[in-house]
Amino acid sequence: MAERQYLKIFTRFERFWHWMQALLVLVLLFTGARLHGLIGGPNWSSAFTLHLVAAGLIIVLWIFAIFWHFTTGAWQHYIPTFRNLVPVIRFYAYGIFRGEAHPAKPTVQRKHNPLQRLSYLFLKLIINPAIWITGILYLTVGLTGFDLQSVAWLHVVAAYAMAIFVVIHVYMATTGDTPAAYLKAMTTGYEWVTVEDGGTNRM
């Protein structure tokens, strides 16, 4: 027999890391848009300084998070799997609009469903490094000899990819049992999970 229990599946650091990263990403997106003249706001010099400070803080946060993931074994939650991937895609494509049950609920051992694992892995291995590397090249283009326009274009493309991820992430955060369920879980750390006899969690 399996039962549902209200368990803590997100640690204090995971919650801190999530919300601090969200804040810094939003600051970077808005100041970046201001630097390109897409929106109004603080003067160019202030926006540039704020952009640099936020960029430095998020790089430090990413480095610390990478260290934490590998020392705690939390990196295993991001190992890609194709088990239940098709049912999960089907659920988000149209099953959710028909009131169907989610085919891959989170557990203590597996906090992310197969689609989340792939999307977070893409974020961590492609988007984040692209922003990191192009941002550093942007600042050191005079030393490296790279073409400024090409580096700037790549940095903007990476930023747009991050913006798209944020929009999708916010939407997906409303698809829990209630629109605020995932928001509450990432705030308190607790979520309803299915636990089998003996304490073994399952997807």
PDB file of all heavy atoms in Angstrom, residues 141-166:
ATOM      1  N   VAL A 141      36.736  41.926 -23.976  1.00  0.00           N
ATOM      2  CA  VAL A 141      36.918  41.840 -25.428  1.00  0.00           C
ATOM      3  C   VAL A 141      38.169  42.586 -25.885  1.00  0.00           C
ATOM      4  O   VAL A 141      38.810  42.215 -26.879  1.00  0.00           O
ATOM      5  CB  VAL A 141      35.661  42.370 -26.151  1.00  0.00           C
ATOM      6  CG1 VAL A 141      35.514  43.875 -25.955  1.00  0.00           C
ATOM      7  CG2 VAL A 141      35.680  42.008 -27.620  1.00  0.00           C
ATOM      8  N   GLY A 142      38.561  43.626 -25.161  1.00  0.00           N
ATOM      9  CA  GLY A 142      39.762  44.372 -25.523  1.00  0.00           C
ATOM     10  C   GLY A 142      41.029  43.557 -25.303  1.00  0.00           C
ATOM     11  O   GLY A 142      42.046  43.796 -25.958  1.00  0.00           O
ATOM     12  N   LEU A 143      40.962  42.600 -24.401  1.00  0.00           N
ATOM     13  CA  LEU A 143      42.124  41.758 -24.100  1.00  0.00           C
ATOM     14  C   LEU A 143      42.151  40.490 -24.935  1.00  0.00           C
ATOM     15  O   LEU A 143      43.211  39.993 -25.298  1.00  0.00           O
ATOM     16  CB  LEU A 143      42.126  41.384 -22.611  1.00  0.00           C
ATOM     17  CG  LEU A 143      42.200  42.546 -21.608  1.00  0.00           C
ATOM     18  CD1 LEU A 143      42.053  42.018 -20.189  1.00  0.00           C
ATOM     19  CD2 LEU A 143      43.504  43.308 -21.777  1.00  0.00           C
ATOM     20  N   THR A 144      40.969  39.950 -25.235  1.00  0.00           N
ATOM     21  CA  THR A 144      40.890  38.681 -25.951  1.00  0.00           C
ATOM     22  C   THR A 144      40.942  38.844 -27.462  1.00  0.00           C
ATOM     23  O   THR A 144      41.305  37.916 -28.174  1.00  0.00           O
ATOM     24  CB  THR A 144      39.594  37.938 -25.584  1.00  0.00           C
ATOM     25  OG1 THR A 144      38.467  38.755 -25.950  1.00  0.00           O
ATOM     26  CG2 THR A 144      39.542  37.659 -24.089  1.00  0.00           C
ATOM     27  N   GLY A 145      40.556  40.029 -27.948  1.00  0.00           N
ATOM     28  CA  GLY A 145      40.577  40.259 -29.386  1.00  0.00           C
ATOM     29  C   GLY A 145      39.359  39.744 -30.125  1.00  0.00           C
ATOM     30  O   GLY A 145      39.293  39.800 -31.357  1.00  0.00           O
ATOM     31  N   PHE A 146      38.342  39.237 -29.390  1.00  0.00           N
ATOM     32  CA  PHE A 146      37.115  38.775 -30.036  1.00  0.00           C
ATOM     33  C   PHE A 146      36.332  39.950 -30.602  1.00  0.00           C
ATOM     34  O   PHE A 146      36.451  41.084 -30.127  1.00  0.00           O
ATOM     35  CB  PHE A 146      36.242  38.002 -29.039  1.00  0.00           C
ATOM     36  CG  PHE A 146      36.738  36.624 -28.730  1.00  0.00           C
ATOM     37  CD1 PHE A 146      37.454  36.377 -27.564  1.00  0.00           C
ATOM     38  CD2 PHE A 146      36.507  35.562 -29.594  1.00  0.00           C
ATOM     39  CE1 PHE A 146      37.916  35.109 -27.264  1.00  0.00           C
ATOM     40  CE2 PHE A 146      36.968  34.297 -29.311  1.00  0.00           C
ATOM     41  CZ  PHE A 146      37.675  34.064 -28.142  1.00  0.00           C
ATOM     42  N   ASP A 147      35.521  39.659 -31.607  1.00  0.00           N
ATOM     43  CA  ASP A 147      34.695  40.701 -32.218  1.00  0.00           C
ATOM     44  C   ASP A 147      33.585  41.099 -31.243  1.00  0.00           C
ATOM     45  O   ASP A 147      32.791  40.253 -30.816  1.00  0.00           O
ATOM     46  CB  ASP A 147      34.087  40.177 -33.522  1.00  0.00           C
ATOM     47  CG  ASP A 147      33.180  41.214 -34.172  1.00  0.00           C
ATOM     48  OD1 ASP A 147      33.690  42.283 -34.547  1.00  0.00           O
ATOM     49  OD2 ASP A 147      31.966  40.942 -34.286  1.00  0.00           O
ATOM     50  N   LEU A 148      33.534  42.377 -30.881  1.00  0.00           N
ATOM     51  CA  LEU A 148      32.576  42.864 -29.888  1.00  0.00           C
ATOM     52  C   LEU A 148      31.138  42.608 -30.305  1.00  0.00           C
ATOM     53  O   LEU A 148      30.314  42.168 -29.497  1.00  0.00           O
ATOM     54  CB  LEU A 148      32.783  44.364 -29.657  1.00  0.00           C
ATOM     55  CG  LEU A 148      31.799  45.031 -28.679  1.00  0.00           C
ATOM     56  CD1 LEU A 148      31.917  44.400 -27.302  1.00  0.00           C
ATOM     57  CD2 LEU A 148      32.070  46.528 -28.608  1.00  0.00           C
ATOM     58  N   GLN A 149      30.817  42.845 -31.577  1.00  0.00           N
ATOM     59  CA  GLN A 149      29.447  42.677 -32.048  1.00  0.00           C
ATOM     60  C   GLN A 149      29.006  41.215 -31.957  1.00  0.00           C
ATOM     61  O   GLN A 149      27.875  40.927 -31.548  1.00  0.00           O
ATOM     62  CB  GLN A 149      29.307  43.174 -33.486  1.00  0.00           C
ATOM     63  CG  GLN A 149      27.876  43.181 -33.989  1.00  0.00           C
ATOM     64  CD  GLN A 149      27.747  43.841 -35.354  1.00  0.00           C
ATOM     65  OE1 GLN A 149      28.743  44.283 -35.932  1.00  0.00           O
ATOM     66  NE2 GLN A 149      26.535  43.912 -35.870  1.00  0.00           N
ATOM     67  N   SER A 150      29.892  40.307 -32.296  1.00  0.00           N
ATOM     68  CA  SER A 150      29.561  38.879 -32.235  1.00  0.00           C
ATOM     69  C   SER A 150      29.348  38.429 -30.798  1.00  0.00           C
ATOM     70  O   SER A 150      28.399  37.706 -30.495  1.00  0.00           O
ATOM     71  CB  SER A 150      30.677  38.051 -32.879  1.00  0.00           C
ATOM     72  OG  SER A 150      30.830  38.385 -34.245  1.00  0.00           O
ATOM     73  N   VAL A 151      30.230  38.864 -29.894  1.00  0.00           N
ATOM     74  CA  VAL A 151      30.106  38.498 -28.489  1.00  0.00           C
ATOM     75  C   VAL A 151      28.814  39.071 -27.909  1.00  0.00           C
ATOM     76  O   VAL A 151      28.085  38.388 -27.177  1.00  0.00           O
ATOM     77  CB  VAL A 151      31.323  39.003 -27.684  1.00  0.00           C
ATOM     78  CG1 VAL A 151      31.094  38.803 -26.189  1.00  0.00           C
ATOM     79  CG2 VAL A 151      32.590  38.287 -28.127  1.00  0.00           C
ATOM     80  N   ALA A 152      28.525  40.330 -28.244  1.00  0.00           N
ATOM     81  CA  ALA A 152      27.306  40.974 -27.742  1.00  0.00           C
ATOM     82  C   ALA A 152      26.069  40.242 -28.251  1.00  0.00           C
ATOM     83  O   ALA A 152      25.104  40.036 -27.495  1.00  0.00           O
ATOM     84  CB  ALA A 152      27.277  42.435 -28.182  1.00  0.00           C
ATOM     85  N   TRP A 153      26.083  39.848 -29.507  1.00  0.00           N
ATOM     86  CA  TRP A 153      24.939  39.131 -30.091  1.00  0.00           C
ATOM     87  C   TRP A 153      24.723  37.795 -29.383  1.00  0.00           C
ATOM     88  O   TRP A 153      23.592  37.436 -29.048  1.00  0.00           O
ATOM     89  CB  TRP A 153      25.181  38.907 -31.580  1.00  0.00           C
ATOM     90  CG  TRP A 153      24.038  38.246 -32.281  1.00  0.00           C
ATOM     91  CD1 TRP A 153      22.907  38.842 -32.761  1.00  0.00           C
ATOM     92  CD2 TRP A 153      23.906  36.845 -32.574  1.00  0.00           C
ATOM     93  NE1 TRP A 153      22.080  37.907 -33.337  1.00  0.00           N
ATOM     94  CE2 TRP A 153      22.662  36.679 -33.229  1.00  0.00           C
ATOM     95  CE3 TRP A 153      24.705  35.725 -32.345  1.00  0.00           C
ATOM     96  CZ2 TRP A 153      22.213  35.422 -33.659  1.00  0.00           C
ATOM     97  CZ3 TRP A 153      24.260  34.487 -32.759  1.00  0.00           C
ATOM     98  CH2 TRP A 153      23.033  34.340 -33.408  1.00  0.00           C
ATOM     99  N   LEU A 154      25.795  37.074 -29.131  1.00  0.00           N
ATOM    100  CA  LEU A 154      25.684  35.785 -28.449  1.00  0.00           C
ATOM    101  C   LEU A 154      25.182  35.957 -27.012  1.00  0.00           C
ATOM    102  O   LEU A 154      24.394  35.151 -26.517  1.00  0.00           O
ATOM    103  CB  LEU A 154      27.045  35.078 -28.441  1.00  0.00           C
ATOM    104  CG  LEU A 154      27.539  34.562 -29.799  1.00  0.00           C
ATOM    105  CD1 LEU A 154      28.967  34.039 -29.678  1.00  0.00           C
ATOM    106  CD2 LEU A 154      26.619  33.466 -30.323  1.00  0.00           C
ATOM    107  N   HIS A 155      25.630  37.020 -26.360  1.00  0.00           N
ATOM    108  CA  HIS A 155      25.188  37.289 -24.984  1.00  0.00           C
ATOM    109  C   HIS A 155      23.689  37.595 -24.949  1.00  0.00           C
ATOM    110  O   HIS A 155      22.971  37.121 -24.054  1.00  0.00           O
ATOM    111  CB  HIS A 155      25.977  38.463 -24.406  1.00  0.00           C
ATOM    112  CG  HIS A 155      25.802  38.645 -22.934  1.00  0.00           C
ATOM    113  ND1 HIS A 155      26.177  37.700 -22.005  1.00  0.00           N
ATOM    114  CD2 HIS A 155      25.277  39.675 -22.209  1.00  0.00           C
ATOM    115  CE1 HIS A 155      25.907  38.130 -20.788  1.00  0.00           C
ATOM    116  NE2 HIS A 155      25.347  39.325 -20.879  1.00  0.00           N
ATOM    117  N   VAL A 156      23.222  38.351 -25.919  1.00  0.00           N
ATOM    118  CA  VAL A 156      21.799  38.692 -25.989  1.00  0.00           C
ATOM    119  C   VAL A 156      20.963  37.449 -26.293  1.00  0.00           C
ATOM    120  O   VAL A 156      19.891  37.257 -25.715  1.00  0.00           O
ATOM    121  CB  VAL A 156      21.553  39.781 -27.052  1.00  0.00           C
ATOM    122  CG1 VAL A 156      20.051  39.961 -27.303  1.00  0.00           C
ATOM    123  CG2 VAL A 156      22.159  41.107 -26.611  1.00  0.00           C
ATOM    124  N   VAL A 157      21.443  36.590 -27.188  1.00  0.00           N
ATOM    125  CA  VAL A 157      20.727  35.346 -27.504  1.00  0.00           C
ATOM    126  C   VAL A 157      20.599  34.483 -26.247  1.00  0.00           C
ATOM    127  O   VAL A 157      19.531  33.937 -25.960  1.00  0.00           O
ATOM    128  CB  VAL A 157      21.458  34.565 -28.619  1.00  0.00           C
ATOM    129  CG1 VAL A 157      20.883  33.157 -28.749  1.00  0.00           C
ATOM    130  CG2 VAL A 157      21.338  35.299 -29.942  1.00  0.00           C
ATOM    131  N   ALA A 158      21.692  34.374 -25.485  1.00  0.00           N
ATOM    132  CA  ALA A 158      21.659  33.601 -24.247  1.00  0.00           C
ATOM    133  C   ALA A 158      20.687  34.221 -23.245  1.00  0.00           C
ATOM    134  O   ALA A 158      19.965  33.512 -22.534  1.00  0.00           O
ATOM    135  CB  ALA A 158      23.061  33.526 -23.646  1.00  0.00           C
ATOM    136  N   ALA A 159      20.640  35.555 -23.204  1.00  0.00           N
ATOM    137  CA  ALA A 159      19.723  36.249 -22.296  1.00  0.00           C
ATOM    138  C   ALA A 159      18.271  35.995 -22.693  1.00  0.00           C
ATOM    139  O   ALA A 159      17.406  35.800 -21.828  1.00  0.00           O
ATOM    140  CB  ALA A 159      20.020  37.744 -22.300  1.00  0.00           C
ATOM    141  N   TYR A 160      17.985  36.002 -23.992  1.00  0.00           N
ATOM    142  CA  TYR A 160      16.622  35.715 -24.457  1.00  0.00           C
ATOM    143  C   TYR A 160      16.241  34.274 -24.113  1.00  0.00           C
ATOM    144  O   TYR A 160      15.093  33.993 -23.753  1.00  0.00           O
ATOM    145  CB  TYR A 160      16.497  35.953 -25.956  1.00  0.00           C
ATOM    146  CG  TYR A 160      16.129  37.380 -26.300  1.00  0.00           C
ATOM    147  CD1 TYR A 160      17.041  38.234 -26.925  1.00  0.00           C
ATOM    148  CD2 TYR A 160      14.857  37.877 -26.004  1.00  0.00           C
ATOM    149  CE1 TYR A 160      16.711  39.548 -27.239  1.00  0.00           C
ATOM    150  CE2 TYR A 160      14.516  39.186 -26.316  1.00  0.00           C
ATOM    151  CZ  TYR A 160      15.443  40.011 -26.929  1.00  0.00           C
ATOM    152  OH  TYR A 160      15.096  41.312 -27.226  1.00  0.00           O
ATOM    153  N   ALA A 161      17.203  33.365 -24.230  1.00  0.00           N
ATOM    154  CA  ALA A 161      16.942  31.964 -23.864  1.00  0.00           C
ATOM    155  C   ALA A 161      16.593  31.867 -22.383  1.00  0.00           C
ATOM    156  O   ALA A 161      15.678  31.130 -21.988  1.00  0.00           O
ATOM    157  CB  ALA A 161      18.157  31.103 -24.187  1.00  0.00           C
ATOM    158  N   MET A 162      17.299  32.628 -21.550  1.00  0.00           N
ATOM    159  CA  MET A 162      17.002  32.651 -20.118  1.00  0.00           C
ATOM    160  C   MET A 162      15.615  33.242 -19.873  1.00  0.00           C
ATOM    161  O   MET A 162      14.846  32.736 -19.032  1.00  0.00           O
ATOM    162  CB  MET A 162      18.063  33.468 -19.377  1.00  0.00           C
ATOM    163  CG  MET A 162      17.778  33.624 -17.882  1.00  0.00           C
ATOM    164  SD  MET A 162      17.776  32.061 -16.969  1.00  0.00           S
ATOM    165  CE  MET A 162      19.555  31.834 -16.767  1.00  0.00           C
ATOM    166  N   ALA A 163      15.271  34.308 -20.593  1.00  0.00           N
ATOM    167  CA  ALA A 163      13.965  34.943 -20.426  1.00  0.00           C
ATOM    168  C   ALA A 163      12.838  33.979 -20.791  1.00  0.00           C
ATOM    169  O   ALA A 163      11.809  33.907 -20.100  1.00  0.00           O
ATOM    170  CB  ALA A 163      13.884  36.207 -21.280  1.00  0.00           C
ATOM    171  N   ILE A 164      13.034  33.221 -21.864  1.00  0.00           N
ATOM    172  CA  ILE A 164      12.031  32.231 -22.274  1.00  0.00           C
ATOM    173  C   ILE A 164      11.894  31.156 -21.206  1.00  0.00           C
ATOM    174  O   ILE A 164      10.785  30.737 -20.861  1.00  0.00           O
ATOM    175  CB  ILE A 164      12.424  31.604 -23.628  1.00  0.00           C
ATOM    176  CG1 ILE A 164      12.319  32.658 -24.734  1.00  0.00           C
ATOM    177  CG2 ILE A 164      11.534  30.400 -23.948  1.00  0.00           C
ATOM    178  CD1 ILE A 164      12.866  32.197 -26.078  1.00  0.00           C
ATOM    179  N   PHE A 165      13.028  30.718 -20.653  1.00  0.00           N
ATOM    180  CA  PHE A 165      12.993  29.717 -19.590  1.00  0.00           C
ATOM    181  C   PHE A 165      12.216  30.242 -18.388  1.00  0.00           C
ATOM    182  O   PHE A 165      11.417  29.507 -17.789  1.00  0.00           O
ATOM    183  CB  PHE A 165      14.412  29.338 -19.164  1.00  0.00           C
ATOM    184  CG  PHE A 165      14.452  28.343 -18.034  1.00  0.00           C
ATOM    185  CD1 PHE A 165      14.434  26.975 -18.293  1.00  0.00           C
ATOM    186  CD2 PHE A 165      14.491  28.766 -16.707  1.00  0.00           C
ATOM    187  CE1 PHE A 165      14.448  26.056 -17.247  1.00  0.00           C
ATOM    188  CE2 PHE A 165      14.509  27.852 -15.661  1.00  0.00           C
ATOM    189  CZ  PHE A 165      14.479  26.496 -15.937  1.00  0.00           C
ATOM    190  N   VAL A 166      12.430  31.496 -18.018  1.00  0.00           N
ATOM    191  CA  VAL A 166      11.745  32.086 -16.865  1.00  0.00           C
ATOM    192  C   VAL A 166      10.241  32.103 -17.085  1.00  0.00           C
ATOM    193  O   VAL A 166       9.461  31.745 -16.195  1.00  0.00           O
ATOM    194  CB  VAL A 166      12.259  33.514 -16.592  1.00  0.00           C
ATOM    195  CG1 VAL A 166      11.366  34.227 -15.573  1.00  0.00           C
ATOM    196  CG2 VAL A 166      13.700  33.474 -16.085  1.00  0.00           C
TER     197      VAL A 166
END
